[in-house]
Amino acid sequence: MSQDNNKATDRPLIHFDDVSKVYFNRSVAVKNIDLRIGSSEFVSLVGHSGAGKTTLLKLLLAEEKPSNGKVLFDDTHVHNLSSRGQTKHRRRIGMVFQDFRLLEHKTAFENIAFAMEALGRSDDEIEADVPYVLDLVGLGDKNWHFPRELSGGEKQRLAIARAVVNQPEVVIADEPTGNLDPVNTFEIVQILKKVNELGTTVLLSTHDKEVVDLLEHRVVTLEDGEVVKDQEASSYQL
Ligand code: ADP
């Protein structure tokens, strides 16, 4: 791997410092990962199923502990934080999942408001920010729809709106287009690019070559838990 591609070298926002993770059943999920991601970068983690993408994201969220090495976020060793510190750390990261994870009995507006209430945001902030993020993802006319009244692509747009509303420094999208057709996949990728252009670091995991081709950003390829390629623009090949 060329060091030239490890661009965010000076003061990375995210630094996997020689990180390995071996699960209890002895499966080696990631091995000697040294990866630096700068503030406002858009990085795709790509690789076949089982390559270690989700494990890396869980390590960053401090949901899993490394067997070796350190995960640094903004120079803080995330696994040395107290549980309160880890909760605060996770609030700096917005999550988007393949299966959306929306609250089915709440409307689009309420799904987002709920995420704001959880952080103690005021009613005035909620009234102002929820319509703003719904507009941002093109759901301005769907405030009062329930998830069951939204298409798959719209559900994922709502999930992105929820992920960004509390202004996290990073958005992690773990296989966000895994359940979507090509048209919706294209739209979701465009929205994630927009989120990135507004200044948020985006970390996207995917096994889908088409997604990466749409991105034209840095692509880190994992194979059997190791980084085998780190490319600036997308010329991704499995
Ligand atoms: P990906 O997200 O690229 O599909 P994962 O990070 O989920 O890959 O998995 C990487 C490897 O670690 C796989 O071999 C998987 O079986 C193993 N693995 C993942 N999670 C666990 C776990 N909780 N316990 C044991 N092995 C796991």
Side-chain angles (χ1 to χ4, degrees):
M1 194 188 82
S2 152
Q3 284 301 310
D4 291 340
N5 286 334
N6 243 344
K7 279 281 161 65
T9 39
D10 297 348
R11 196 172 174 277
L13 177 62
I14 298 164
H15 184 188
F16 292 93
D17 183 3
D18 197 19
V19 172
S20 299
K21 173 69 185 176
V22 183
Y23 286 107
F24 288 120
N25 60 2
R26 299 200 187 158
S27 74
V28 181
V30 293
K31 235 184 308 191
N32 305 119
I33 301 284
D34 197 5
L35 186 63
R36 295 155 198 258
I37 296 171
S39 188
S40 305
E41 265 201 279
F42 192 131
V43 178
S44 302
L45 287 177
V46 301
H48 293 297
S49 176
K53 305 181 295 295
T54 304
T55 299
L56 266 193
L57 301 178
K58 285 184 175 168
L59 287 164
L60 177 57
L61 286 161
E63 286 178 4
E64 292 287 355
K65 251 186 142 154
S67 315
N68 199 28
K70 288 184 286 200
V71 180
L72 302 162
F73 185 90
D74 203 7
D75 285 340
T76 299
H77 188 334
V78 302
H79 295 90
N80 279 353
L81 291 167
S82 63
S83 68
R84 215 166 138 209
Q86 289 188 345
T87 302
K88 272 185 153 174
H89 162 65
R90 291 185 190 114
R91 286 181 180 165
R92 299 172 73 177
I93 300 173
M95 286 299 302
V96 177
F97 302 97
Q98 176 172 355
D99 57 359
F100 319 126
R101 304 197 190 175
L102 298 168
L103 299 168
E104 293 298 324
H105 299 293
K106 290 190 184 286
T107 62
F109 187 103
E110 289 165 349
N111 263 276
I112 298 173
F114 189 76
M116 294 183 73
E117 284 159 9
L119 296 198
R121 308 274 300 272
S122 71
D123 288 351
D124 285 350
E125 286 176 300
I126 290 171
E127 290 299 325
D129 291 358
V130 176
Y132 170 77
V133 290
L134 283 170
D135 268 348
L136 184 76
V137 301
L139 287 180
D141 56 344
K142 301 273 162 78
N143 284 15
W144 307 111
H145 285 233
F146 288 93
R148 66 173 177 276
E149 297 167 332
L150 299 174
S151 71
E154 287 171 340
K155 283 185 202 172
Q156 196 57 298
R157 287 197 251 158
L158 175 56
I160 294 173
R162 179 184 56 186
V164 300
V165 75
N166 290 317
Q167 299 172 359
E169 284 145 85
V170 180
V171 166
I172 290 179
D174 191 5
E175 296 278 0
T177 61
N179 288 334
L180 303 180
D181 63 25
V183 172
N184 282 305
T185 293
F186 178 80
E187 284 180 5
I188 292 303
V189 168
Q190 298 315 311
I191 290 169
L192 288 171
K193 279 180 162 179
K194 190 153 103 182
V195 165
N196 177 245
E197 279 155 20
L198 291 170
T200 308
T201 306
V202 176
L203 200 46
L204 173 144
S205 92
T206 185
H207 65 274
D208 185 347
K209 182 178 183 323
E210 280 175 32
V211 170
V212 177
D213 286 343
L214 290 170
L215 281 166
E216 299 157 343
H217 282 292
R218 182 175 168 199
V219 178
V220 173
T221 306
L222 288 173
E223 229 173 76
D224 295 333
E226 291 184 276
V227 173
V228 293
K229 257 187 245 170
D230 188 345
Q231 296 158 292
E232 271 311 310
S234 87
S235 53
Y236 161 68
Q237 291 178 331
L238 267 184

